[in-house]
């Protein structure tokens, strides 16, 4: 697929999605909100990669929501109040879904950040499984400074990633927080001297993930995400139920044989997500 705001490359079971509007600081124009979830879900739908890396071109990761989106929303802010509110609610849910896709797909998503990640870019990164950045990276929950409450996932996901008191300070003030602070708070996994160093390392991590059993990896992602929203007892019970169906021997035998022989294991891809309910033509 060709996209207006993204480039997508897939090699050796790793997909690399790049935000590709560097001259505009990769701001999130209307097309972006359709293209990002489409790209991520296509990769998952066809089981064409076992890990996804999201990075960007240019000096900055992303300036967040493009002003054209706010302008369009302002022009649309008219009509009978209840119906206008219902329409706005659907718009917010649609925008949220663009980042929910990063959580809902079966494969891990790794974010790689250089320069600024502002506003909606923080929402995007919060939905990734892991985050990495360069020494010059900084993050900003910008919405408060433009008179609104962040509404695309930062306020819901970030307190699960960092101390809640720090999250509140960052959200209330809208101040920048840099790479070292993000690392100390646990928002990013590692900080690198340059974008090249970061991408080289992140790609190695993605390929290491891709070398594992995709059934084991997707099960791990689902179990961790489930545990974030449920009690310990419910999570353990769900784990037992999952394992009763998903614990099968072929991947385990392949992994054990690879360890014995010192050779890389070979695992089948996950099945694609094509509907099995389509009618067959005669």
């Amino acid at each position: 697929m060709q996209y207006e705001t993204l480039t997508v490359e897939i090699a050796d079971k790793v997909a690399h999605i790049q935000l590709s509007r560097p001259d505009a600081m990769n701001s999130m124009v209307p097309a972006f909100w359709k293209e990002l979830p489409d790209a991520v879900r296509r990769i998952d739908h066809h089981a064409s990669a076992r890990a996804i890396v999201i990075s960007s071109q240019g000096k900055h990761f992303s300036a967040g929501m493009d002003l054209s989106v706010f302008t369009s929303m302002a022009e649309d802010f008219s009509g009978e109040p209840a119906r206008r509110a219902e329409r706005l609610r659907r718009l917010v849910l649609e925008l949220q879904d663009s980042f929910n896709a990063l959580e809902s797909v079966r494969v891990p998503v790794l974010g790689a950040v250089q320069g600024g990640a502002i506003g909606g870019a923080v929402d995007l990164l919060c939905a990734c499984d892991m985050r990495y950045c360069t020494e010059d990276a900084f993050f900003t929950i910008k919405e408060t400074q433009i008179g609104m409450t962040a509404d695309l996932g930062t306020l819901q996901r970030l307190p699960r990633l960092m101390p809640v008191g720090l999250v509140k300070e960052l959200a209330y003030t809208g101040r920048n927080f840099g790479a070292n602070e993000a690392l100390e708070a646990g928002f990013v996994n590692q900080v690198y001297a340059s974008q090249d160093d970061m991408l080289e390392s992140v790609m190695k991590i993605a390929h290491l993930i891709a070398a594992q059993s995709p059934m084991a990896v997707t099960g791990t992602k689902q179990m961790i995400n489930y545990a974030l929203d449920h009690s310990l007892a419910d999570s353990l019970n769900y784990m037992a139920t999952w394992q009763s169906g998903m614990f099968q021997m072929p991947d385990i035998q392949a992994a054990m044989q690879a360890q014995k022989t010192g050779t890389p294991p070979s695992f089948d891809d996950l099945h694609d997500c094509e509907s099995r309910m389509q009618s067959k033509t005669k």
Side-chain angles (χ1 to χ4, degrees):
M1 290 293 295
Q2 296 295 316
Y3 294 111
E4 176 185 336
T5 66
L6 311 170
T7 62
V8 181
E9 297 178 351
I10 301 175
D12 300 325
K13 304 297 182 183
V14 172
H16 187 191
I17 298 175
Q18 287 185 296
L19 312 187
S20 58
R21 299 178 62 249
D23 293 342
M25 293 177 60
N26 298 304
S27 62
M28 299 171 176
V29 294
F32 166 86
W33 300 95
K34 298 287 188 182
E35 292 182 351
L36 179 67
D38 181 78
V40 171
R41 286 177 170 140
R42 280 180 182 272
I43 292 166
D44 185 47
H45 182 89
H46 296 291
S48 51
R50 298 180 182 179
I52 298 172
V53 174
I54 298 179
S55 71
S56 68
Q57 300 172 6
K59 184 178 179 180
H60 295 285
F61 181 76
S62 173
M65 187 83 77
D66 191 79
L67 290 177
S68 63
V69 178
F70 288 111
T71 301
S72 177
M73 291 173 64
E75 293 173 351
D76 196 41
F77 207 76
S78 60
E80 191 273 323
R83 287 162 176 79
R84 181 186 67 205
E86 191 276 336
R87 184 175 66 240
L88 178 59
R89 180 178 184 272
R90 284 187 286 108
L91 172 60
V92 174
L93 290 172
E94 180 181 355
L95 295 175
Q96 289 175 351
D97 183 66
S98 298
F99 298 150
N100 291 346
L102 307 182
E103 281 188 338
S104 64
V105 294
R106 295 173 291 173
V107 301
V109 180
L110 295 73
V113 181
Q114 82 286 350
I118 300 168
V122 178
D123 294 296
L124 183 160
L125 294 168
C126 286
C128 293
D129 291 278
M130 297 96 82
R131 290 150 295 278
Y132 306 85
C133 73
T134 57
E135 292 175 352
D136 69 344
F138 64 92
F139 309 87
T140 312
I141 305 172
K142 192 69 174 178
E143 288 82 353
T144 308
Q145 292 188 348
I146 60 173
M148 63 175 290
T149 301
D151 54 3
L152 302 184
T154 289
L155 302 184
Q156 292 70 36
R157 294 185 173 103
L158 197 55
R160 300 175 179 180
L161 304 171
M162 294 167 49
V164 66
L166 178 56
V167 173
K168 288 182 176 182
E169 176 191 320
L170 297 172
Y172 295 161
T173 64
R175 72 169 176 85
N176 295 350
F177 62 108
N180 289 336
E181 186 176 10
L183 179 63
E184 291 174 2
F187 183 59
V188 299
N189 289 23
Q190 190 59 263
V191 176
Y192 300 92
S194 69
Q195 186 179 18
D196 288 342
D197 290 342
M198 174 181 64
L199 287 176
E200 180 181 359
S201 179
V202 171
M203 284 297 178
K204 286 181 180 178
I205 295 168
H207 282 98
L208 184 58
I209 293 170
Q212 312 306 316
S213 159
M215 278 303 306
V217 172
T218 192
T220 300
K221 176 171 180 172
Q222 293 196 40
M223 292 306 108
I224 292 174
N225 287 348
Y226 185 91
L228 291 172
D229 292 323
H230 296 80
S231 70
L232 175 61
D234 286 345
S235 298
L236 289 170
N237 184 62
Y238 184 38
M239 181 73 252
T241 302
W242 172 275
Q243 206 74 321
S244 68
M246 304 300 177
F247 186 87
Q248 303 293 335
M249 294 310 297
D251 282 13
I252 295 173
Q253 291 171 336
M256 294 177 66
Q257 181 64 23
Q259 290 183 11
K260 288 181 180 180
T261 61
T263 58
S266 177
F267 302 106
D268 291 340
D269 292 333
L270 296 176
H271 288 178
D272 62 35
C273 299
E274 289 289 347
S275 171
R276 274 29 181 192
M277 299 302 292
Q278 297 175 357
S279 60
K280 296 181 179 179
T281 57
K282 295 182 179 180

